[in-house]
Amino acid sequence: MSNLCALPLPVLGLLLEPMWQWLLEPLQAGFMVKAIWVSAFVGVVCAVLSCYITLKGWSLMGDAVSHAVVPGVVVAYALGLPFALGAFIFGFGATVIIGYVKSQTRLKEDAVIGVIFTGFFAFGLVLATKIPSNVDLFHILFGNVLGISQSDIIQTLIAGLVTLVIILLRRKDLLLFCFDPNHAKAIGLNTQLMYYTLLSVLALTIVTALQTAGIVLVVAMLVTPGATAYLLTDRFDHMLAISVATSVISCVLGTYLSYHLDVSTGGSIVVLMTILFALAMVFAPKYGILGQKLRRQMPSV
Amino acid sequence: MRSDTFGITVENISVTYSNAHLALYNASCYVQSGTITGLVGPNGGGKSTLFKTIMGFVNPNQGRVHIDGLSVTMAQKRQLMSYVPQADDVDWNFPVSVADVVMMGRYGYMNMLRIPGREDRRQVAESLERVGMTDFCHRQIGELSGGQKKRAFLARAMAQNSRVILLDEPFTGVDVKTEKRIVNLLMQLRDEGHTILVSTHDLASISTFCDRTILLNRTILAEGTTADTFTEENLSMTFGGLPLSSLTQKHSISQQHYE
């Protein structure tokens, strides 16, 4: 009996040893410790907001804001201001301009968004290539969490914490605003204010994720976790929990992968998120492709 | 306060949408307090627009709306109005349960964090009970039948306990049994002192439960007690597809009819 119990332990150890090695070895480097907890934090902030963004149907708006921050980052670096400040002003400003142009023209919203954000982005490219500064365009576009500086960490933390506090305090009103803005108005809530609250929280989240994912991939972090969770549950609190879980797992594991395989951090995080989404899409019990097919074949089940 | 300032007063409302579509033209009407009033007209005749103007979702180009003598904004702040939306206007895939939706009717009474108190829970439970949805309160809203969906949103309006309740096409996609049930609830609410405005393009049911009727096709064509208003002449005028240019003239004719 004792022999049988004793046998698997070394075997298990043999299997686990390389895994521990894989997990612990990167932690000997200070920058990796930083990168892992920063990306986990960013994962939480993005995941929480992504639930509201997917339900409100604002994915394209997220894409727009993320691209519109580029000139802000360049200007901020050139003037020696915190990057987060420039990014927030330009990101939020773009959404205000989108709203204004939409109300003044007969264009549909997606066309207005397409025009404005690419305009901002192009202006950012022009600035970045003209203004002499130590801004690395590649890092803005694709993130650089492995080389994140102390001041960037502080800015990321502040933007993320402000976002979380605002959402925590206004979560029920924001959910009502996403679900039924007319009812929100009917009971005397200021829906205009909620619209701009959600937009500024969106801009802040993008500022938070800028260093981890970069502006091109940040939209994935703003949409995919919420979209994955939406396929798995019918309850908003569960959706939040699932979204945060998938996001943090992807962020931490993605950072490890990028270290071991020497690949882009933002890229591997988003690839993992997309894989989790694909799994949910196929295997989700109620809304998965497989489940729906099975139910259609056996209507009684 | 004069008693006739109670109820809903609509004065000379015109609404033009940004695509230059004229939805309402010089509409004036009065919804008497403590009655069930039916708003009848063809599809595209401006029923929803009039509702949205009364609720404050749409700002009219001209004209004024008063609810119990108050402006729309004040009425919203004082929880005087609730709205039961059309089925098409609701995202049925949204991850909220029936109980969540009904609790939303209480938000206007809660503090900023919207933490429900004992009174809020009591009102929600009572409203669910009255519409017969207690057993379904944990269901996600998309898992309900057409009639249950209507009852869930009616429960939200009841939990809000507002003086005025507007229902936009409440009988669309609902079976006869549920329609009867909703009508019974509306009559109970009226007897408790609520003012109820129901829009519908289904003429058959109007005379069975509406005390008063307003006929609408881009403007108000007739209004008054259902018995007076439901004449063949008025109905053919409302549903006849008249060109807009004739509306002002017809409007004055219908006014004469009642003066």
Side-chain angles (χ1 to χ4, degrees):
Chain A
M1 204 58 193
S2 62
N3 266 348
L4 275 174
C5 279
L7 193 64
L9 266 174
V11 179
L12 219 63
L14 225 66
L15 281 170
L16 282 177
E17 174 108 15
M19 223 168 110
W20 277 120
Q21 202 67 37
W22 196 86
L23 285 173
L24 289 178
E25 190 225 299
L27 299 181
Q28 266 135 34
F31 73 92
M32 266 307 282
V33 179
K34 258 191 234 168
I36 286 166
W37 74 255
V38 168
S39 58
F41 173 75
V42 170
V44 173
V45 178
C46 286
V48 170
L49 191 75
S50 74
C51 291
Y52 292 90
I53 296 298
T54 30
L55 292 176
K56 186 73 188 160
W58 271 11
S59 312
L60 188 58
M61 195 62 118
D63 203 19
V65 177
S66 65
H67 283 77
V69 303
V70 177
V73 175
V74 177
V75 169
Y77 273 123
L79 297 176
L81 296 167
F83 85 90
L85 190 69
F88 178 77
I89 291 172
F90 273 75
F92 187 69
T95 64
V96 174
I97 293 175
I98 287 169
Y100 176 76
V101 173
K102 195 189 147 208
S103 70
Q104 297 298 314
T105 63
R106 57 190 300 229
L107 287 169
K108 291 203 174 75
E109 189 171 31
D110 67 326
V112 178
I113 291 177
V115 170
I116 304 295
F117 92 71
T118 44
F120 268 75
F121 182 60
F123 180 54
L125 285 186
V126 170
L127 282 183
T129 43
K130 189 67 197 166
I131 295 179
S133 71
N134 51 357
V135 181
D136 187 339
L137 199 59
F138 194 81
H139 288 165
I140 303 179
L141 292 181
F142 301 110
N144 179 32
V145 73
L146 297 187
I148 193 167
S149 73
Q150 200 62 33
S151 84
D152 286 356
I153 291 182
I154 291 168
Q155 293 177 49
T156 300
L157 274 181
I158 292 173
L161 287 174
V162 170
T163 304
L164 287 179
V165 169
I166 293 176
I167 295 182
L168 186 72
L169 289 177
R170 310 301 285 158
R171 64 186 190 283
K172 292 201 172 168
D173 285 6
L174 287 174
L175 193 66
L176 172 58
F177 175 64
C178 294
F179 174 57
D180 192 348
N182 276 345
H183 178 69
K185 210 162 178 172
I187 60 173
L189 303 184
N190 187 343
T191 45
Q192 194 77 10
L193 180 71
M194 276 191 256
Y195 175 79
Y196 284 112
T197 306
L198 198 55
L199 277 182
S200 42
V201 169
L202 175 64
L204 274 174
T205 309
I206 285 163
V207 171
T208 311
L210 210 58
Q211 296 288 339
T212 308
I215 59 150
V216 178
L217 293 176
V218 72
V219 67
M221 303 190 61
L222 275 173
V223 179
T224 312
T228 307
Y230 184 58
L231 294 178
L232 290 167
T233 179
D234 273 329
R235 285 181 50 180
F236 186 71
D237 45 353
H238 291 181
M239 185 173 163
L240 267 180
I242 295 170
S243 176
V244 169
T246 60
S247 177
V248 171
I249 288 170
S250 307
C251 285
V252 172
L253 214 58
T255 312
Y256 269 105
L257 279 179
S258 85
Y259 174 90
H260 285 293
L261 305 177
D262 192 21
V263 291
S264 149
T265 318
S268 30
I269 289 173
V270 174
V271 165
L272 287 176
M273 280 181 177
T274 314
I275 290 172
L276 290 179
F277 172 81
L279 289 175
M281 190 179 77
V282 176
F283 296 108
K286 196 168 160 194
Y287 301 111
I289 296 171
L290 220 61
Q292 281 179 343
K293 248 198 191 119
L294 281 175
R295 260 193 304 279
R296 229 170 288 145
Q297 279 164 6
M298 297 178 286
S300 56
V301 179
Chain B
M1 196 186 277
R2 290 194 351 259
S3 66
D4 64 341
T5 58
F6 281 101
I8 306 168
T9 335
V10 175
E11 286 172 60
N12 255 327
I13 294 291
S14 291
V15 177
T16 312
Y17 286 113
S18 55
N19 57 5
H21 171 69
L22 178 65
L24 273 182
Y25 177 74
N26 270 351
S28 296
C29 61
Y30 170 60
V31 179
Q32 196 180 319
S33 177
T35 63
I36 299 178
T37 302
L39 181 64
V40 185
N43 286 326
K47 294 191 300 281
S48 284
T49 304
L50 182 60
F51 264 36
K52 284 173 182 159
T53 313
I54 293 172
M55 293 301 298
F57 308 155
V58 167
N59 288 324
N61 304 88
Q62 65 160 58
R64 286 186 305 182
V65 174
H66 288 284
I67 294 95
D68 286 356
L70 297 171
S71 71
V72 171
T73 319
M74 283 304 292
Q76 289 171 343
K77 293 231 159 73
R78 295 198 189 176
Q79 308 299 318
L80 286 189
M81 299 186 288
S82 52
Y83 180 67
V84 179
Q86 271 188 52
D88 293 348
D89 290 344
V90 177
D91 176 4
W92 297 106
N93 290 315
F94 208 90
V96 285
S97 69
V98 173
D100 293 334
V101 168
V102 180
M103 190 56 90
M104 285 172 186
R106 300 295 304 168
Y107 278 16
Y109 297 99
M110 299 177 195
N111 65 9
M112 206 190 83
L113 292 174
R114 316 287 173 211
I115 297 165
R118 191 179 302 165
E119 175 62 13
D120 299 314
R121 289 181 204 287
R122 195 188 64 76
Q123 292 267 7
V124 168
E126 193 190 296
S127 305
L128 282 167
E129 184 72 48
R130 283 187 71 179
V131 300
M133 290 291 288
T134 308
D135 294 342
F136 305 100
C137 71
H138 295 302
R139 285 254 180 109
Q140 192 263 335
I141 52 170
E143 296 172 341
L144 304 171
S145 71
Q148 291 170 335
K149 286 174 179 170
K150 291 288 174 196
R151 278 146 62 199
F153 277 83
L154 183 58
R156 179 174 79 175
M158 288 161 73
Q160 197 184 332
N161 204 7
S162 58
R163 204 122 89 218
V164 177
I165 302 173
L166 279 76
L167 298 97
D168 202 352
E169 301 283 356
F171 306 124
T172 321
V174 160
D175 58 39
V176 183
K177 210 178 110 198
T178 314
E179 179 170 335
K180 265 198 179 142
R181 187 167 188 165
I182 294 175
V183 165
N184 276 333
L185 277 165
L186 294 182
M187 294 211 254
Q188 283 175 28
L189 289 168
R190 173 198 59 195
D191 296 342
E192 291 161 19
H194 295 275
T195 306
I196 291 157
L197 183 61
V198 184
S199 85
T200 178
H201 58 266
D202 167 28
L203 297 177
S205 59
I206 295 287
S207 48
T208 61
F209 74 99
C210 288
D211 309 308
R212 294 172 64 86
T213 307
I214 298 171
L215 296 181
L216 176 82
N217 191 352
R218 304 242 212 146
T219 192
I220 308 296
L221 296 171
E223 63 173 313
T225 61
T226 303
D228 284 345
T229 318
F230 252 48
T231 62
E232 206 166 309
E233 188 196 354
N234 277 339
L235 289 177
S236 73
M237 181 168 67
T238 309
F239 290 90
L242 295 167
L244 193 64
S245 55
S246 67
L247 282 180
T248 41
Q249 206 189 342
K250 294 283 177 186
H251 187 204
S252 58
I253 291 170
S254 68
Q255 289 282 328
Q256 278 164 16
H257 186 74
Y258 290 104
E259 278 160 15

